[in-house]
């Protein structure tokens, strides 16, 4: 299969890892890395033997696909320009600042026959990928995404920084429209919400209780899914999947015994899997695994949660 000419726009903390993956893949020819800070682009270009640029428009006509890992406020314009010049885009989450911007990008990609993939990385976590047919019809979902403070992503609040991962996964699992949302949160160390909780009720009756914090003393990324006959726990951090289900024996009269099954997974390099999926979608002419519509849906819910907390 022919190689795709690729590039990364924005090679700060996250973008430099995108560049590493593109440079390592057999179906990718990393043409250039782009960053407004020439020291960033030059350092990464030396590492991978590609060109260093400060203006992404110099890529037009030279590449087939790009990762956009610039700050969120620049996602829309960069992606729009790339799509208008025939380039497939992988956009880090959140897809854009506003839902209207996301809608415009989705329509532009559709009209040009191009692909958008949104960088909801946890979709490619080995534990989640292994869920398979264990997932039925969730009735209640509880998630906690906790992290110590890191100044890296403080251009957005904790909902758009961390909680949006779980929002995307949950909405994809439930497969029903959101009915109501209740939310609360507070600022602690930054000028926007640093810890938040949301209760999301879906049209099919499923309820999700979602908590995210970037000011915790520990790191935790867990989700519990309750459905008829079973409960599933996904530990994203440790790549563990646990299934609790009713057994045939009784632990008390009339109360079934609970059987458990646990699977542990090696680190599957979720970012590499994500980029492989993006390139394969382009080469095979199939939809991306996390579409622009998925990114738009997660953004809309995250923004409504932020609005309810008066942090939008």
């Amino acid at each position: 299969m022919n190689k795709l000419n690729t590039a990364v726009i924005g090679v700060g903390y996250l973008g430099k890892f995108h560049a590493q993956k593109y440079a390592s893949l057999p179906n990718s020819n990393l043409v250039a890395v782009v960053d407004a800070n020439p020291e960033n682009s030059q350092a990464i270009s030396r590492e991978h033997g590609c060109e260093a640029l400060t203006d992404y428009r110099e890529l037009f006509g030279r590449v087939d696909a790009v990762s956009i890992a610039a700050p969120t406020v620049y996602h829309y314009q960069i992606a729009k320009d790339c799509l208008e010049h025939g380039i497939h885009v992988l956009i880090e989450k959140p897809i854009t600042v506003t839902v209207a911007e996301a809608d415009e990008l989705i329509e532009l990609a559709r009209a040009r026959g191009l692909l958008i993939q949104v960088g909801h990385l946890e979709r490619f976590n080995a534990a989640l990928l292994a869920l398979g047919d264990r997932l039925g019809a969730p009735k209640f979902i509880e998630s906690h995404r906790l992290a110590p403070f890191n100044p890296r992503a403080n251009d957005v609040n904790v909902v758009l920084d961390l909680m949006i991962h779980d929002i995307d996964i949950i909405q994809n699992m439930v497969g029903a429209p959101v009915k109501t949302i209740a939310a609360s949160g507070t600022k602690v160390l930054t000028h926007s919400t640093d810890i938040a909780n949301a209760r999301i009720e879906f049209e099919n009756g499923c309820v999700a209780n979602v908590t995210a914090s970037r000011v915790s003393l520990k790191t935790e990324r867990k989700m519990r899914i309750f459905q008829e006959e079973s409960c599933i726990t996904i530990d994203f951090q440790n790549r563990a999947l646990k299934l609790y289900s009713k057994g045939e024996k009784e632990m008390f009269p009339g109360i079934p015994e609970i059987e458990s099954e646990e699977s542990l997974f090696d680190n599957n390099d979720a970012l590499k899997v994500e980029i492989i999926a993006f390139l394969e979608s382009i080469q095979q002419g199939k939809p991306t695994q996390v579409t622009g519509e998925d990114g738009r849906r997660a953004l809309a819910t995250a923004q409504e949660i932020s609005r309810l907390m008066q942090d939008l």
Side-chain angles (χ1 to χ4, degrees):
M1 189 172 289
N2 292 333
K3 288 188 176 185
L4 294 170
N5 290 326
T6 59
V8 179
I9 302 172
V11 284
Y13 175 80
L14 187 56
K16 65 183 179 184
F17 296 116
H18 279 254
Q20 289 175 4
K21 308 313 173 188
Y22 282 113
S24 71
L25 294 174
N27 59 341
S28 165
N29 173 38
L30 182 63
V31 172
V33 292
V34 186
D35 200 280
N37 182 342
E39 292 183 0
N40 284 352
S41 58
Q42 288 166 10
I44 304 302
S45 72
R46 285 193 298 269
E47 183 178 346
H48 301 299
C50 63
E51 191 174 351
L53 302 173
T54 56
D55 187 344
Y56 67 88
R57 290 168 292 191
E58 294 183 46
L59 297 172
F60 299 161
R62 301 177 59 197
V63 299
D64 304 298
V66 298
S67 275
I68 300 172
T72 304
V73 68
Y74 301 118
H75 285 187
Y76 165 74
Q77 190 61 56
I78 295 172
K80 180 174 181 288
D81 290 343
C82 288
L83 290 168
E84 286 178 341
H85 287 82
I87 300 170
H88 303 278
V89 294
L90 192 167
I91 312 173
E92 269 303 331
K93 59 81 190 167
I95 181 172
T96 49
V97 173
T98 69
V99 170
E101 290 176 344
D103 286 336
E104 187 176 339
L105 293 183
I106 291 165
E107 181 54 39
L108 179 57
R110 185 181 296 118
R112 299 295 178 97
L114 298 167
L115 295 180
I116 295 175
Q117 181 166 307
V118 184
H120 287 284
L121 188 62
E122 290 285 38
R123 287 272 207 109
F124 299 90
N125 187 291
L128 182 63
L129 292 174
L131 187 57
D133 59 7
R134 296 178 177 89
L135 181 68
K139 301 296 184 183
F140 182 80
I141 301 173
E142 181 180 44
S143 72
H144 290 86
R145 187 168 294 265
L146 314 177
F149 182 73
N150 184 332
R152 175 182 58 82
N154 292 324
D155 59 324
V156 294
N157 64 30
V158 72
V159 178
L160 292 161
D161 179 18
L162 298 182
M163 187 186 284
I164 196 168
H165 284 293
D166 297 312
I167 291 168
D168 168 66
I169 292 167
I170 290 167
Q171 289 188 288
N172 188 55
M173 284 180 176
V174 175
V178 172
K179 182 179 180 181
T180 61
I181 300 175
S184 61
T186 189
K187 303 171 185 177
V188 180
L189 294 177
T190 74
H191 297 297
S192 57
T193 301
D194 293 313
I195 184 169
N197 174 265
R199 182 183 187 277
I200 307 170
E201 183 177 353
F202 295 88
E203 293 285 356
N204 66 358
C206 181
V207 173
N209 188 34
V210 190
T211 300
S213 168
R214 60 185 178 194
V215 288
S216 295
L217 297 178
K218 65 175 182 177
T219 299
E220 180 178 311
R221 291 151 42 206
K222 287 186 178 180
M223 184 177 291
R224 297 172 180 86
I225 305 148
F226 298 85
Q227 52 194 20
E228 288 188 10
E229 308 293 331
S230 67
C231 168
I232 300 166
T233 297
I234 303 172
D235 185 335
F236 294 96
Q237 180 181 353
N238 297 308
R239 296 171 298 283
L241 180 65
K242 295 182 181 180
L243 174 65
Y244 302 90
S245 57
K246 292 181 180 179
E248 295 184 0
K249 298 179 181 180
E250 293 183 341
M251 58 180 172
F252 301 105
I255 305 298
E257 183 181 58
I258 303 299
E259 297 180 345
S260 63
E261 171 191 337
E262 181 175 6
S263 301
L264 298 173
F265 304 92
D266 293 333
N267 186 355
N268 67 330
D269 194 344
L271 180 59
K272 188 172 184 177
V273 176
E274 176 185 67
I275 291 173
I276 288 172
F278 174 52
L279 297 180
E280 288 183 348
S281 291
I282 296 169
Q283 293 179 313
Q284 298 173 15
K286 63 182 183 182
T288 55
Q289 292 189 35
V290 186
T291 65
E293 288 82 358
D294 291 338
R296 187 255 188 219
R297 180 182 61 189
L299 174 64
T301 301
Q303 287 200 328
E304 177 59 14
I305 292 169
S306 299
R307 187 192 67 79
L308 290 169
M309 297 187 303
Q310 297 183 337
D311 188 15
L312 188 64

